Amino acid sequence: MLDKLAKNLGTLKQEFVKTYDGHSHIQEIIPSCYSEFFPIDESHLKLLHEFIKKNPIYHNSYEKKIADTLCTVYEGDINEYWLNSIKHGSSCQPFYPTWVISAYIASSIAKSLDYKELVDIGSGDGRIAYCAKILDLQSTSIEIDDVLVELQNNIVSATNINFNPVCADAIEFDYSALNLSFPVFFIGGLPQMGGDVLAKNIIDKISTTNLKKNTCIVFAGTHSKRPLSGNQLVGGWSSLIDSHCLQVIKTALLPTIWTFDQITDTPYIYTKFN
């Protein structure tokens, strides 16, 4: 079902791009209700909408039928948070989030692979960790920017969904404090924008513990052919995957804010240690 959801979301996104005539800095869609085309648990769907409604980066919404599916279009602006997020010297990527519905599907895939805990590294406004929490995974959201962590804490208070925001440098963080058993780590950074440095440090930490055999690392890749986009094999992560003897176990293409104007969406690459 999750492969179907990812494929159908890609279809909705492409149709949305063709008809969108707004001028907001960011825009995304969530199906308004359960349907055969988008069979998501109604209670979860309601909570995805709730996340956006309680998130101050969004300022407008309206319903629109896209590919015969009634969706809610959400518009917003992340400039203030984007500018603040680049002030940290060890930040590997400015705040540019995935779509909320993509975060839900990505977290659902992790759960379907039988992982029990989700740690979102460079979590932005916490949407992946939020989705993990509503899916009953033990969730931890690690973000270096204090303003974004304050935003996350406000969302926790407004939604009553505690996805455990932590303000910390992920490279320095002590992961043993989380008491993990079968964790999945989402790395918040594209490889050519410093995500490779972040990922290497996290992998090196895991490699020295007993968690190594039970851990999944998820990379957000890119198929962009823009200048300086780097090696595009395995979404730009092939060198790191090969050097750390990781095995790709799943890849899902999901819309993100940074691929809104692109034909190909963001590959989320699920790996484990050989």
Side-chain angles (χ1 to χ4, degrees):
M1 186 189 82
L2 294 174
D3 288 340
K4 177 184 175 182
L5 280 178
K7 180 180 178 182
N8 289 354
L9 179 59
T11 298
L12 287 179
K13 180 249 182 171
Q14 293 302 332
E15 291 301 312
F16 176 46
V17 170
K18 291 176 186 176
T19 60
Y20 181 68
D21 56 2
H23 303 285
S24 290
H25 183 226
I26 62 168
Q27 57 287 117
E28 61 181 286
I29 56 175
I30 298 180
S32 297
C33 55
Y34 176 96
S35 67
E36 289 188 9
F37 187 74
F38 231 87
I40 287 184
D41 181 285
E42 284 275 15
S43 62
H44 289 178
L45 199 55
K46 181 179 179 181
L47 288 170
L48 299 184
H49 287 282
E50 190 72 4
F51 178 89
I52 289 186
K53 290 174 182 177
K54 303 300 185 182
N55 191 327
I57 73 173
Y58 298 96
H59 56 67
N60 187 43
S61 66
Y62 58 90
E63 286 197 321
K64 180 182 181 70
K65 193 165 245 189
I66 304 169
D68 294 324
T69 299
L70 186 63
C71 297
T72 304
V73 178
Y74 292 101
E75 298 177 317
D77 190 331
I78 62 171
N79 272 317
E80 175 187 347
Y81 296 100
W82 184 91
L83 288 170
N84 194 72
S85 69
I86 62 177
K87 72 182 181 182
H88 301 277
S90 58
S91 177
C92 292
Q93 184 169 319
F95 174 50
Y96 249 99
T98 188
W99 280 12
V100 170
I101 192 71
S102 295
Y104 177 81
I105 294 173
S107 300
S108 298
I109 291 171
K111 183 173 182 177
S112 76
L113 294 171
D114 293 328
Y115 292 98
K116 306 302 182 187
E117 306 101 4
L118 186 147
V119 183
D120 190 12
I121 305 294
S123 54
D125 60 5
R127 58 188 61 203
I128 291 177
Y130 175 93
C131 291
K133 183 65 176 181
I134 67 176
L135 287 162
D136 295 323
L137 295 172
Q138 178 183 311
S139 181
T140 304
S141 174
I142 298 178
E143 171 58 51
I144 195 171
D145 180 41
D146 58 328
V147 174
L148 283 170
V149 175
E150 182 181 0
L151 170 61
Q152 291 187 34
N153 282 321
N154 290 338
I155 292 172
V156 167
S157 297
T159 62
N160 203 30
I161 303 292
N162 186 3
F163 47 91
N164 192 24
V166 176
C167 187
D169 184 338
I171 293 175
E172 304 296 332
F173 187 74
D174 178 12
Y175 295 95
S176 66
L178 299 178
N179 297 315
L180 303 171
S181 58
F182 290 89
V184 53
F185 288 78
F186 277 74
I187 304 296
L190 296 175
Q192 72 274 21
M193 296 184 70
D196 55 343
V197 176
L198 176 61
K200 181 183 183 303
N201 277 275
I202 300 302
I203 291 169
D204 287 344
K205 281 194 167 214
I206 295 169
S207 296
T208 62
T209 72
N210 293 329
L211 278 179
K212 182 176 179 179
K213 62 183 179 184
N214 300 329
T215 296
C216 178
I217 309 287
V218 183
F219 305 103
T222 178
H223 290 143
S224 171
K225 302 302 181 184
R226 292 172 178 171
L228 304 179
S229 58
N231 181 350
Q232 294 306 296
L233 295 175
V234 198
W237 289 100
S238 61
S239 296
L240 184 138
I241 286 172
D242 291 344
S243 64
H244 288 83
C245 298
L246 299 174
Q247 175 188 349
V248 176
I249 55 176
K250 179 80 176 177
T251 300
L253 287 174
L254 296 168
T256 54
I257 284 173
W258 65 87
T259 58
F260 180 73
D261 61 348
Q262 298 176 22
I263 295 175
T264 303
D265 289 311
T266 298
Y268 280 82
I269 303 152
Y270 296 71
T271 68
K272 66 179 182 179
F273 292 91
N274 276 322

